Amino acid sequence: MGDEAQQTDRRVEAFSPEAIRAQFPALDQAVHGKPLVYLDNAATTQKPRMVIDTVREFYERDNANIHRGVHTLSARASERFEGARERIARSLNADSEREIVFVRGVTEAINLLAHSLSADWSAGDEVIVSELEHHANIVPWLMLKERKGIEIKVIPANDQGELEVDALPDLISDRTRLVAVNHVSNALGTVNPVARISEIARERGVPLLVDGAQGLPHGPVDVQALGCDFYACSSHKVFGPSGVGALYARGDWFERLPPFLGGGDMIEEVRFDGIRFAPPPSKFEAGTPNIEGAIGFAAALEWADGLDWLAIERHEQALLERMTDGLSTIEGLSIVGQARHKVPVVSFLVEGAHPHDIGTLLDSMGIAVRTGHHCAMPLMQRFGALTGTARASAAFYNTFDDIDRFVDATKRVRDMLV
Ligand SMILES: *Cc1c(COP(=O)(O)O)cnc(C)c1O
């Protein structure tokens, strides 16, 4: 995303939000008698028919456990699972599929890193996160603070919801073991200057982890261009199945790190007096993985890679502008997070109305938004939004009509509640 040189050769077909939308069966339904307007994409995305068909066909034809069987179905399932890994490596522009480990999602990816990276950390070592983080990139470090006495430092956000990256160099010390930030804030929609953060971290020899949960849904990601050491993503946020994701680790990181979970598939030899671990990526994939999920995830990325991302970026920016302009006309409504570089996510407050009531009334009009703290309580505290916010988050399959219906409904809700 934001990397235009890389996007120019991806224009496979002309972009039409209506044509894209028609590929998503779940979007074509009524809720409380009104056509569904789905604006909760930062929580999870809907799935295109191609992904649904891929998963169904896998169950109908190839389903078997992987890696252990000599029989035909197991060989097919293994081949498709490893093919999915190659596809994901290609989509992220990793050097090798050995840099990709399947996980349950971003949450597990960060827990894996917190466990494995910290094997040689001691009290007083530091992790730098940002004020914009999701709990998935806060809680594992807080748990390490309790267990090992590490320190957590925070890159502050300004009143627009942008990171004050200039504060980073002074936060880094010779005890800093990791910088960990999200690519895009799920709560405010801010796109963070990850390449710049990466430069600063690299100059000081500190590895960088990027929580990419909200990055990948809004454009191709190139881990080489970003310059990060680790990139974590969740399939369900990017039009694929739930319960699966990928962790990218540059070069020989996975060789050097100790494993996270122990069990079958991640070993070469087990004796009661010792173990030898399998080489990565197997070393980090104990137990039966989410095979159909990985295959569906790869299908989703393959499908998305064929889209015209320059046109999508323009469409998403137009959706954002329409949403921002529309909501700004509503009395007593304030938008939390007005960064210059945003994806179409708008968090807002209405004076005198509880976000939960706004969400419930919008639902009765067929409109799905999320309300609450968006798994980012420190960020909500930063903006004084103690009851959380209401958040509308669009994807490229949303249309101007969706946005207009949402804005009109929000106006009516405001008049009902205030
Ligand atoms: C959704 C999300 C996560 C957590 O992803 P899971 O798939 O629930 O593990 C982490 N970070 C951000 C920014 C997210 O949006």
Side-chain angles (χ1 to χ4, degrees), residues 101 103-115 136 140-141 209 231-233 245-248 260:
V101 158
V103 286
R104 278 195 300 138
V106 168
T107 304
E108 185 178 299
I110 298 177
N111 277 274
L112 182 161
L113 286 174
H115 175 90
W141 309 118
L209 156 65
Y231 195 91
C233 45
L247 173 61
Y248 158 83
F260 175 40

Side-chain angles (χ1 to χ4, degrees), residues 37-67:
V37 173
Y38 187 77
L39 290 172
D40 194 18
N41 293 285
T44 203
T45 51
Q46 300 302 339
K47 321 304 171 196
R49 201 176 300 282
M50 186 267 202
V51 168
I52 299 167
D53 287 348
T54 299
V55 174
R56 201 196 55 240
E57 281 163 13
F58 172 78
Y59 276 134
E60 288 177 352
R61 220 182 41 210
D62 302 328
N63 179 55
N65 209 334
I66 54 167
H67 295 160

Side-chain angles (χ1 to χ4, degrees), residues 5 10 35 50 54 67 122-123 136 138-139 154 166 174 208 226 232 245 270 273 287 319 367:
R10 290 177 187 265
M50 186 267 202
T54 299
H67 295 160
S122 46
I138 300 176
V139 179
V154 184
D166 291 345
D174 55 6
L208 172 68
L226 291 178
V270 179
D273 59 2
L319 292 175
I367 295 163

Side-chain angles (χ1 to χ4, degrees), residues 42-43 104-108 110 132-137 182-187 211-214 233-237 243-244 391:
R104 278 195 300 138
V106 168
T107 304
E108 185 178 299
I110 298 177
L132 293 181
E133 298 312 308
H134 185 284
H135 293 162
N137 194 26
N182 61 30
H183 193 168
V184 174
S185 155
N186 64 303
D211 166 354
Q214 303 291 339
C233 45
S234 286
S235 161
H236 73 101
K237 301 269 174 92
V244 67
R391 179 191 70 192

